[in-house]
Amino acid sequence: MTATGTTSVIHPTATIGAGTTIGEFCVVGPNVKIGSGCKIGNHVVIHEDTVVADTVRIDDHASLGKRPMKAANSATTKEQELPPLTVGELSIVGTGVVLYRGAAIDPKVLMADLCTVRENVSIGRGTIVGRGVTVENFCTVGRYCKLESECYITAYSTLEDRVFVAPGVVTSNDNFVGRTAERFKHFKGVTVKRGGRIGAGTVTLPGVTIGEDALVAAGSVVTKDVPARTVVMGTPARKLRDVPVEQLLENQGWVDA
Amino acid sequence: MTATGTTSVIHPTATIGAGTTIGEFCVVGPNVKIGSGCKIGNHVVIHEDTVVADTVRIDDHASLGKRPMKAANSATTKEQELPPLTVGELSIVGTGVVLYRGAAIDPKVLMADLCTVRENVSIGRGTIVGRGVTVENFCTVGRYCKLESECYITAYSTLEDRVFVAPGVVTSNDNFVGRTAERFKHFKGVTVKRGGRIGAGTVTLPGVTIGEDALVAAGSVVTKDVPARTVVMGTPARKLRDVPVEQLLENQGWVDA
Amino acid sequence: MTATGTTSVIHPTATIGAGTTIGEFCVVGPNVKIGSGCKIGNHVVIHEDTVVADTVRIDDHASLGKRPMKAANSATTKEQELPPLTVGELSIVGTGVVLYRGAAIDPKVLMADLCTVRENVSIGRGTIVGRGVTVENFCTVGRYCKLESECYITAYSTLEDRVFVAPGVVTSNDNFVGRTAERFKHFKGVTVKRGGRIGAGTVTLPGVTIGEDALVAAGSVVTKDVPARTVVMGTPARKLRDVPVEQLLENQGWVDA
């Protein structure tokens, strides 16, 4: 049995696991599957077919399983069939979060307030998606990453495991800045290799690869690839020094959990 | 007849067109006019007098027709009579969007999730207002513009048609940075002429004009006017070269739709 | 008596003052205290124990008194007992705002749409927290500050009275960028002394102090302390000149209200 606010509207085809609680004024659509031991706030909307695993916390005003909006004028959003949104066990979905149908969220992911994860995105186990972060469509985010508050991950980006993206980071994917039909063949986000770190308020240009365990200093503008284990700084960013040994990923003693 | 979630609260003076569907827990205020064939999500609030045209999509948790908030300490918000919010046909209003009374939205505008359009703003036909974008009060935005995710359009700005503003762009309007009574006479946003483009993560200072079809490279700080068809780059931004011919607006073959 | 939307769910232990109005589909939790003359919108959630003073305006979809989310992988959020959220009289809480339990908001504070104030934060009288602003945990914000739209105040920051933070400002608090156990001892936000001003789109590094009445020019990257009454500019920011006399705080004729 479940303790459900008497005001919520649950579709008869939805299934809800034992011990899950649902607040007031929620809407749970057709064929939604919610696991056991979840704690769902108020005014949460879970659209059709969404699958939420066990022990997930979802806060007020979150909207899960949203279908993409297609503008007449959009360069990258196409009409398509999308698999249902899946949210892994022990994940947390913050207040006002928007998760799209076609996103796949691993277990133990924290999605902080007002972040958005678009369609055709996967987020790896134990990753933190910070407050207000946008992960655009067609991105792959690895495990144990930290995407700090208000960073912006452009479409067609790949972040490997243990990547750190600081607050206010901006990334881009269109070297043609919205012009020429040619550009559609060249959209390319950023790639950050395992353990790469991008400092606060930086701007990274389309197609750039940040190497393994490399570090971009705060406030830099990154115009070309950054070699592994290298600190770059400035506008445009240039090599400053090697990453200090004690900061290397291999010296943190971190174990996947 | 309309298919309306039985839980919504519709004021008796509101009118709703044929074929429009309304989700659960919506609030539709006095004298609201909603056209036919609209698709309205859950927990949507449409405040009094708002006019929504035909075939508009409005997603969960959007709030339309909000009245401005007046802080004791505000420099630019005045108490005033405002005309009702109008939203043109075939427009899309994303999840958690906030549209103010006194905004006029043309047809075919996409307002992505969590964006805000303030009072005394007009948005032209076919424009995309990206995820999390803020268009402050007293702005004019032209037709077929793209304001990409998380860009910030300061009060008293003018963007002409076909303007492109990349993700994370910041604009400002107060050269006195909040000091002197003098400043109230000099508030001036940015002006971007037809086809002007502003790259990712740039900062543009108060009163600057970006010329027709000009381009500001990503990461720049723009401190003075940019001539037409010129690429500028750097801090402060200086001329780099002319805009490549194949990127000029006149060579895109774009037709107003 | 109160005029309350008949659809709202008010816990029997909540108290609501005379003349307060509450919109539709609100949720007011146990032991909440709401003063008199408040105007509360639709879909507002006020969590248990929250104290809202007299004459407060709260707009649609705001969520007050939220408990922190604890990620397995978080560096700075600890489980803790938190005092109830308090919101001072004549304050305004915008649409979609998220205020955490453990925040203390003085009277006459404006919190604009979609801003977030975390736990263990105090906001002084008459301050404006702009649209989309994040004030992270363990921050102190003084009186009559202006935190403009989309600025980001990192954890462990102190802003004294009359501080001005322009749109899109980014601050940071971790010089080790997420690596070494050492870093936990050194987390340090930014300090902005009385009347200090930070220009649009700037980035300020961890532990920096902006001096009394100092000014950081737009687009700068601030890597070290800024002396009082000094204008700094550039990447890294260097002294440009003294703050013009007419812009000094002492020459504004401002009186605390």
Side-chain angles (χ1 to χ4, degrees), chain C residues 43-66:
Chain C
H43 305 110
V44 171
V45 180
I46 306 183
H47 289 276
E48 66 274 21
D49 308 328
T50 298
V51 179
V52 175
D54 296 343
T55 328
V56 171
R57 170 178 168 178
I58 304 176
D59 285 352
D60 303 336
H61 304 126
S63 185
L64 280 69
K66 167 181 176 137

Side-chain angles (χ1 to χ4, degrees), chain B residues 7-9 24-27 42-45 47 61-64 66-75 96-98 100 114-116 118 132-134 136 150 152 154 170-172 174-181 183 203-205 221 235, chain C residues 7 24-25 42-43 57 59-61 92-95 108 110-114 126-128 131 144-146 148-150 162 164 166-169 194-202 213 215 218-220 234-235 243 246-249 252 254:
Chain B
T7 55
S8 288
V9 173
E24 304 290 347
F25 306 118
C26 291
V27 180
N42 307 289
H43 305 111
V44 171
V45 179
H47 288 276
H61 304 127
S63 186
L64 280 69
K66 168 182 173 134
R67 288 181 188 271
M69 305 169 292
K70 174 77 180 89
N73 214 14
S74 169
V97 165
V98 183
Y100 279 65
L114 298 164
C115 77
T116 296
R118 293 274 307 268
V133 167
T134 310
E136 295 281 18
E150 298 294 322
Y152 176 73
T154 189
V170 174
T171 57
S172 56
D174 177 11
N175 268 317
F176 298 76
V177 199
R179 295 281 168 83
T180 80
R183 78 184 189 284
V203 178
T204 299
L205 297 199
V221 177
T235 304
Chain C
T7 55
E24 305 290 346
F25 307 118
N42 307 288
H43 305 110
R57 170 178 168 178
D59 285 352
D60 303 336
H61 304 126
I92 301 176
V93 180
T95 306
K108 295 192 176 178
L110 170 60
M111 290 150 281
D113 303 343
L114 298 163
T127 282
I128 296 175
R131 189 270 183 202
Y144 310 105
C145 294
K146 293 192 183 176
E148 299 266 325
S149 300
E150 299 295 322
R162 300 279 184 196
F164 182 101
V169 164
R194 180 178 162 81
R197 295 180 287 164
I198 308 184
T202 56
D213 232 351
L215 173 60
S220 302
T235 305
V243 171
E246 71 274 13
Q247 291 189 23
L248 289 176
L249 192 53
Q252 304 309 306
W254 288 340

Side-chain angles (χ1 to χ4, degrees), chain B residues 152-230:
Chain B
Y152 176 73
I153 309 299
T154 189
Y156 305 103
S157 292
T158 300
L159 312 185
E160 295 186 357
D161 292 352
R162 301 278 183 194
V163 160
F164 182 101
V165 182
V169 163
V170 174
T171 57
S172 56
N173 66 10
D174 177 11
N175 268 317
F176 298 76
V177 199
R179 295 281 168 83
T180 80
E182 190 73 5
R183 78 184 189 284
F184 294 106
K185 290 187 250 172
H186 298 282
F187 276 132
K188 202 170 171 191
V190 301
T191 300
V192 188
K193 294 290 193 181
R194 179 178 163 81
R197 295 180 287 163
I198 308 185
T202 57
V203 178
T204 299
L205 297 199
V208 163
T209 295
I210 313 285
E212 194 157 328
D213 232 351
L215 173 60
V216 176
S220 301
V221 177
V222 187
T223 59
K224 57 179 190 181
D225 291 353
V226 178
R229 278 169 277 277
T230 302

Side-chain angles (χ1 to χ4, degrees), chain B residues 22-254:
Chain B
I22 299 181
E24 304 290 347
F25 306 118
C26 291
V27 180
V28 178
N31 303 312
V32 167
K33 289 182 184 57
I34 302 177
S36 62
C38 294
K39 188 168 166 43
I40 298 175
N42 307 289
H43 305 111
V44 171
V45 179
I46 306 183
H47 288 276
E48 68 273 21
D49 308 329
T50 298
V51 179
V52 175
D54 296 343
T55 328
V56 170
R57 171 178 167 178
I58 305 176
D59 285 353
D60 302 337
H61 304 127
S63 186
L64 280 69
K66 168 182 173 134
R67 288 181 188 271
M69 305 169 292
K70 174 77 180 89
N73 214 14
S74 169
T76 63
T77 302
K78 296 184 177 59
E79 297 279 359
Q80 53 181 321
E81 280 300 303
L82 290 167
L85 167 69
T86 57
V87 179
E89 61 179 2
L90 293 162
S91 287
I92 300 176
V93 180
T95 306
V97 165
V98 183
L99 304 179
Y100 279 65
R101 188 182 177 103
I105 313 292
D106 270 6
K108 296 191 176 179
V109 172
L110 170 62
M111 289 150 281
D113 303 343
L114 298 164
C115 77
T116 296
V117 178
R118 293 274 307 268
E119 71 276 15
N120 297 303
V121 168
S122 62
I123 309 274
R125 182 185 185 86
T127 281
I128 296 174
V129 181
R131 188 269 185 203
V133 167
T134 310
V135 182
E136 295 281 18
N137 45 342
F138 299 106
C139 284
T140 303
V141 178
R143 302 180 308 151
Y144 309 105
C145 293
K146 292 193 184 175
L147 313 184
E148 300 265 325
S149 301
E150 298 294 322
C151 73
Y152 176 73
I153 309 299
T154 189
Y156 305 103
S157 292
T158 300
L159 312 185
E160 295 186 357
D161 292 352
R162 301 278 183 194
V163 160
F164 182 101
V165 182
V169 163
V170 174
T171 57
S172 56
N173 66 10
D174 177 11
N175 268 317
F176 298 76
V177 199
R179 295 281 168 83
T180 80
E182 190 73 5
R183 78 184 189 284
F184 294 106
K185 290 187 250 172
H186 298 282
F187 276 132
K188 202 170 171 191
V190 301
T191 300
V192 188
K193 294 290 193 181
R194 179 178 163 81
R197 295 180 287 163
I198 308 185
T202 57
V203 178
T204 299
L205 297 199
V208 163
T209 295
I210 313 285
E212 194 157 328
D213 232 351
L215 173 60
V216 176
S220 301
V221 177
V222 187
T223 59
K224 57 179 190 181
D225 291 353
V226 178
R229 278 169 277 277
T230 302
V231 182
V232 299
M233 190 170 77
T235 304
R238 295 199 172 88
K239 176 165 182 175
L240 177 69
R241 58 169 177 263
D242 291 333
V243 171
V245 170
E246 71 275 13
Q247 289 189 23
L248 289 176
L249 192 53
E250 65 200 47
N251 296 326
Q252 303 310 305
W254 287 340

